[in-house]
Amino acid sequence: MSSYHINYLDALEAEAIYILRETAAQFENPALLFSGGKDSIVLVHLALKAFRPAKFPFPLLHIDTGHNFPETLQFRDNLISKIKERLIVRYVQDSIDKGRVKEETGKYASRNALQTVTLLDAISELQLDACIGGARRDEEKARAKERIFSVRDEFGQWEPRMQRPELWNLYNGKIRKGENVRVFPISNFTELDVWRYIEREGIELPSLYFTHERDVFERDGLWYPDSPYIHREPQETVVRKKVRFRTIGDMTCTAAVLSQADNVAAIIEELIKAETTERGSRLDDKRSEAAMEERKRGGYF
Amino acid sequence: MELLRFLTAGSVDDGKSTLIGRLLYDSRSLLRDQLEAIEKSSRKKGDDFLNLALATDGLKAEREQGITIDVAYKYFSTPKRKFIIADTPGHIQYTRNMVTGASTANLMVVLVDARNGVTEQTRRHSIIASLLAIPHLVVCINKMDLVGFSQERFEQIKEEFLQFSGKLNIKDITFIPISALQGDNVVNLSDNMPWYEGRSLLHYLEEVYIESDRNLQNPRFPVQYVIRPETAEYPDYRAYAGMVASGIFKQGDAILVLPAGFTTTITSIDFYGKQLPEAFAPQSVAIRLSDNLDIARGDVFVDAVNPPRIGQDILANVCWMSSDELRPGTVLILQQNTRRVKAKITEIVYKIEINTLDEIVGVGALKMNDIALVKIRTAAPVLLDDYKFNRATGSFILIDENTNLTAAAGVIRG
């Protein structure tokens, strides 16, 4: 029987495809949350494997903070024209203009938290009953507790102490009208697994993930891109460095790392030797020990 | 590199979180920012050592109370294997969360405090492992440093455990004396216990043979989703997407479609533009057939030569997970693989006393966390594979139609 050996990446891939198909089958109106980051790009690749030669049974939904790296948007548009799937974009700026949210100010101002409102508004406007996301359990300890089918109440809230038991691979997506489910097909991938999968599958990524020269400044031991969206203190001086991004979120909450890695194999090499996790470069998680849990309870991705 | 999913059981006092912290720490899976966060929390709690247990508790309430409430999944890998740990709660009121973690595991690590020996919890956790047919059980006798690394004490506890576990359905039991706090026999063999001739826990986890844990004998393919592009390029393409639950399917195989009972032939096994000669558990593929039949989600392709039994009367062990009581006559939705049917609980045959395995008859209702043998009548036929031989198709959940909550986990007894 040894020829029926299954490699761990194949096992993770098969599980993710299974979850995507369960989502398509169990829900009437799902969407895939696409941020332009590597995890959502991997999700798109997995969806191609799950549904081709047919079209995706769901659109891609991008919650645009307006503070994206231009490379991310360029990449997104190229990808969409290549795979010919439907993309829906909703803007945080619109939520601000409508007075639904108020822009943060000060040194650590970010639109990261504001996205939640735009997302919840989009869910209700588009009547989505499931949102597929690229979150992984290894990212953060609140995420380590989350189910693969994670039910949100009609206010978009996550109640971690009341989660449905999730047994075998029998996902229960039954919900009441107004509730929705967040689905996480790559829950069991680690950061390294994602990169190894990208390498194996030859998945294209935005250039931001690879080393490039950029104007940056140092804050709290991290390198931030110099940008009109980020408040810089007078003593924080801009320097030009060879950097790359380990995660790509909103420009205001994503810091770069010094790196020479210009291809996927070099990135994997770098990760194996890394001393910090990828969320170590995410300002949004550094706010408090329960930062992610609190944001998730409120309806965050 | 293979994937091994295991769960850890035992109460906080048995050192479970410390053991996981130790595995993560010694395999270099905890990185600097995580260690800094643990250091910060350790200091806040007044611990004068790096409290590795803090690496696992994820929710605010858990950190406040110092207990594990829900399953947390942790990841680490060595050059040999990738591991997924389901860190599950030990308290009896969270049995359902432990069952959740156990359902997908190949192996359970149960911790026993060397000072206390086999306790009620040890027995309960092992019984759950047995009911869920987890193939491998590792009994880690922890805190050996507190009993002077005594071989005699180790042998005594091992004997005690074996006396009780004779009644269980667990094929493979291994005993390892450890100190999670100090690291003895966790990753490296300990100089403090030269009398121990086995492997360290990590070495065991890397080497334990798991290939035969999958059922590759009985072909079962639950249809998940029908792929029909209906495009100019693929006007008539129709493939049945799903994950092979067990067994092997080959192109050209004769199959039976259940519950309808049609026989047909596999013309193609498709995967992302490629045709595969065969597919085996747990691959996700899409299967095309020679005949145009009425097949939908919930149908199952099986081996035409040696098909499973189907029927509407199920005998099953269930773990009740809802705060509402379960009484005979209750109607629920039964989900087996991709199929959902209405189901009525017709009889509670007996409740299992999960600390002793005693069978208690004459029970009128089941409460949350109870495990019982029940009879169920379904509105339409379902597969009747015995869970002992097929974990993928012998399992089901029961869903409460009013609340939509998952109310029970069930395993079919053939």
Side-chain angles (χ1 to χ4, degrees):
Chain A
M1 286 297 167
S2 58
S3 63
Y4 298 107
H5 181 80
I6 193 148
N7 166 282
Y8 79 104
L9 280 181
D10 291 325
L12 292 173
E13 178 189 68
E15 177 180 79
I17 292 172
Y18 174 83
I19 294 162
L20 285 167
R21 287 169 171 170
E22 276 305 284
T23 312
Q26 290 201 32
F27 299 95
E28 282 174 20
N29 206 12
L32 188 153
L33 300 177
F34 184 81
S35 69
K38 66 179 189 316
D39 297 317
S40 62
I41 293 167
V42 163
L43 277 186
V44 169
H45 182 79
L46 288 162
L48 291 167
K49 288 197 159 187
F51 301 109
R52 285 292 185 259
K55 288 251 167 210
F56 293 177
F58 39 70
L60 275 57
L61 171 63
H62 183 205
I63 302 300
D64 186 337
T65 61
H67 291 171
N68 287 294
F69 293 96
E71 293 92 331
T72 311
L73 297 183
Q74 181 72 47
F75 182 91
R76 178 194 77 187
D77 296 339
N78 290 344
L79 180 71
I80 293 300
S81 67
K82 205 167 95 185
I83 63 174
K84 298 187 178 62
E85 294 290 344
R86 192 156 69 97
L87 172 72
I88 299 171
V89 185
R90 289 294 175 268
Y91 299 91
V92 171
Q93 188 61 52
D94 289 345
S95 303
I96 295 170
D97 295 344
K98 280 187 229 154
R100 298 275 297 128
V101 290
K102 213 168 149 209
E103 187 110 62
E104 294 180 5
T105 55
K107 184 175 173 185
Y108 292 101
S110 166
R111 285 184 171 183
N112 183 61
L114 311 187
Q115 294 178 87
T116 300
V117 174
T118 312
L119 172 66
L120 296 181
D121 286 352
I123 288 170
S124 99
E125 175 210 332
L126 303 165
Q127 299 196 321
L128 301 176
D129 51 5
C131 292
I132 303 162
R136 308 188 321 266
R137 285 170 174 160
D138 78 319
E139 283 180 80
E140 206 280 333
K141 53 194 171 186
R143 283 193 165 159
K145 295 266 167 182
E146 191 155 17
R147 303 288 189 248
I148 287 173
F149 270 34
S150 180
V151 181
R152 304 303 167 95
D153 68 15
E154 57 182 314
F155 300 99
Q157 300 180 109
W158 180 52
E159 182 40 81
R161 296 187 68 172
M162 294 293 291
Q163 295 195 90
R164 292 179 183 178
E166 197 162 78
L167 300 135
W168 297 283
N169 58 2
L170 302 176
Y171 301 114
N172 173 7
K174 283 180 77 70
I175 49 171
R176 293 193 187 115
K177 204 165 170 53
E179 294 174 335
N180 67 87
V181 174
R182 303 291 169 82
V183 178
F184 303 112
I186 59 166
S187 286
N188 288 321
F189 283 62
T190 61
E191 183 187 16
L192 197 54
D193 296 336
V194 167
W195 281 104
R196 289 201 164 123
Y197 187 69
I198 287 167
E199 182 181 44
R200 188 184 87 165
E201 301 290 308
I203 299 170
E204 277 182 49
L205 292 180
S207 55
L208 295 163
Y209 281 110
F210 304 100
T211 189
H212 55 281
E213 286 205 358
R214 182 177 288 270
D215 289 334
V216 290
F217 64 89
E218 194 176 9
R219 174 186 294 172
D220 307 333
L222 302 171
W223 295 93
Y224 285 86
D226 183 38
S227 133
Y229 308 127
I230 307 177
H231 175 89
R232 184 163 53 79
E233 302 281 310
Q235 73 278 14
E236 293 174 324
T237 45
V238 173
V239 284
R240 198 150 179 90
K241 292 268 182 193
K242 287 203 86 170
V243 296
R244 67 174 204 88
F245 292 89
R246 273 178 87 177
T247 73
I248 297 181
D250 181 276
M251 233 192 257
T252 59
C253 70
T254 317
V257 292
L258 300 178
S259 168
Q260 302 291 329
D262 58 1
N263 61 65
V264 176
I267 289 172
I268 291 172
E269 192 63 25
E270 196 180 275
L271 282 178
I272 292 171
K273 295 185 191 139
E275 289 193 335
T276 57
T277 67
E278 62 183 330
R279 298 213 75 91
S281 58
R282 289 295 285 254
L283 201 63
D284 41 347
D285 289 341
K286 296 216 156 185
R287 292 189 171 187
S288 81
E289 187 168 15
M292 176 69 87
E293 181 180 341
E294 278 154 13
R295 275 180 297 150
K296 287 189 84 68
R297 280 173 181 269
Y300 187 70
F301 296 95
Chain B
M1 193 156 89
E2 268 177 323
L3 176 62
L4 172 67
R5 294 174 198 248
F6 69 96
L7 82 149
T8 49
S11 72
V12 172
D13 307 333
D14 293 337
K16 178 171 59 79
S17 299
T18 309
L19 175 68
I20 295 173
R22 172 63 61 187
L23 281 171
L24 297 175
Y25 183 71
D26 284 358
S27 63
R28 283 198 77 249
S29 308
L30 282 178
L31 300 180
R32 199 181 64 211
D33 54 327
Q34 292 169 308
L35 282 172
E36 280 167 6
I38 294 169
E39 261 166 22
K40 209 168 113 188
S41 312
S42 297
R43 272 199 307 273
K44 223 160 87 185
K45 283 191 65 205
D47 295 332
D48 54 1
F49 57 96
L50 190 61
N51 188 344
L52 291 172
L54 296 171
T56 58
D57 287 330
L59 301 176
K60 237 166 41 176
E62 292 176 318
R63 284 193 298 275
E64 281 161 12
Q65 298 173 42
I67 56 164
T68 308
I69 294 169
D70 207 337
V71 195
Y73 295 90
K74 293 283 160 189
Y75 302 82
F76 72 101
S77 56
T78 67
K80 289 187 179 146
R81 274 186 181 162
K82 172 185 163 91
F83 298 96
I84 302 180
I85 312 176
D87 177 19
T88 60
H91 291 69
I92 193 158
Q93 68 265 39
Y94 303 119
T95 296
R96 61 184 203 146
N97 294 337
M98 189 190 153
V99 170
T100 293
S103 67
T104 52
N106 304 78
L107 181 148
M108 176 162 107
V109 174
V110 61
L111 276 141
V112 176
D113 187 324
R115 293 169 302 176
N116 306 331
V118 174
T119 61
E120 200 172 278
Q121 286 214 354
T122 318
R123 280 192 286 271
R124 175 157 43 84
H125 296 156
S126 308
I127 287 167
I128 290 170
S130 164
L131 287 167
L132 288 167
I134 295 176
H136 315 278
L137 179 67
V138 186
V139 183
C140 279
I141 298 166
N142 190 24
K143 305 195 186 180
M144 287 300 291
D145 51 319
L146 300 182
V147 296
F149 299 105
S150 155
Q151 180 178 12
E152 197 189 339
R153 183 67 187 135
F154 172 73
E155 296 295 341
Q156 209 175 17
I157 295 170
K158 182 174 163 181
E159 204 43 52
E160 203 183 339
F161 189 91
L162 285 171
Q163 265 177 25
F164 138 82
S165 68
K167 290 186 272 184
L168 302 177
N169 164 44
I170 302 175
K171 289 173 252 171
D172 176 23
I173 306 180
T174 304
F175 296 86
I176 305 178
I178 64 166
S179 165
L181 196 63
Q182 303 187 5
D184 300 76
N185 290 338
V186 177
V187 172
N188 301 307
L189 281 176
S190 163
D191 292 335
N192 292 318
M193 291 173 274
W195 47 265
Y196 173 67
E197 293 177 338
R199 289 177 283 195
S200 72
L201 174 62
L202 183 65
H203 190 198
Y204 174 81
L205 294 172
E206 286 182 323
E207 299 287 332
V208 58
Y209 184 72
I210 53 171
E211 284 271 283
S212 58
D213 294 354
R214 272 178 301 160
N215 176 328
L216 290 174
Q217 272 71 51
N218 307 107
R220 307 279 187 268
F221 182 85
V223 174
Q224 245 192 313
Y225 185 80
V226 185
I227 296 179
R228 282 176 52 213
E230 296 178 295
T231 55
E233 203 184 340
Y234 299 95
D236 301 315
Y237 183 95
R238 178 191 286 262
Y240 301 97
M243 180 184 264
V244 180
S246 60
I248 301 156
F249 289 87
K250 294 188 163 72
Q251 191 181 1
D253 273 358
I255 56 151
L256 185 68
V257 182
L258 292 177
F262 315 124
T263 308
T264 180
T265 306
I266 295 176
T267 54
S268 179
I269 300 172
D270 297 347
F271 185 64
Y272 197 42
K274 283 193 298 243
Q275 289 197 353
L276 309 178
E278 58 183 357
F280 54 91
Q283 290 180 324
S284 282
V285 294
I287 291 179
R288 281 186 282 160
L289 303 173
S290 58
D291 303 280
N292 219 338
L293 300 165
D294 176 17
I295 295 169
R297 175 176 167 84
D299 293 339
V300 190
F301 300 169
V302 303
D303 173 11
V305 184
N306 193 8
R309 286 190 305 130
I310 59 169
Q312 290 175 257
D313 290 297
I314 303 176
L315 184 65
N317 284 126
V318 297
C319 174
W320 188 247
M321 298 177 158
S322 161
S323 52
D324 297 330
E325 289 191 348
L326 174 72
R327 292 177 187 283
T330 306
V331 176
L332 298 139
I333 296 167
L334 183 146
Q335 181 176 338
Q336 179 187 50
N337 297 119
T338 59
R339 186 171 171 78
R340 282 186 187 151
V341 295
K342 285 207 177 196
K344 185 193 274 185
I345 309 298
T346 53
E347 187 186 332
I348 299 172
V349 184
Y350 56 76
K351 189 178 123 175
I352 298 170
E353 171 50 68
I354 54 170
N355 293 321
T356 58
L357 261 187
D358 290 342
E359 295 161 6
I360 305 164
V361 293
V363 175
L366 296 183
K367 294 194 185 66
M368 195 196 284
N369 297 313
D370 280 350
I371 294 180
L373 182 72
V374 299
K375 287 183 181 168
I376 300 172
R377 172 80 182 169
T378 57
V382 294
L383 288 195
L384 296 177
D385 279 327
D386 189 332
Y387 180 79
K388 274 208 300 290
F389 304 112
N390 202 331
R391 288 179 83 191
T393 56
S395 50
F396 61 85
I397 57 172
L398 295 171
I399 300 169
D400 184 322
E401 255 186 306
N402 301 313
T403 62
N404 292 325
L405 297 179
T406 303
V411 301
I412 296 173
R413 299 218 340 202

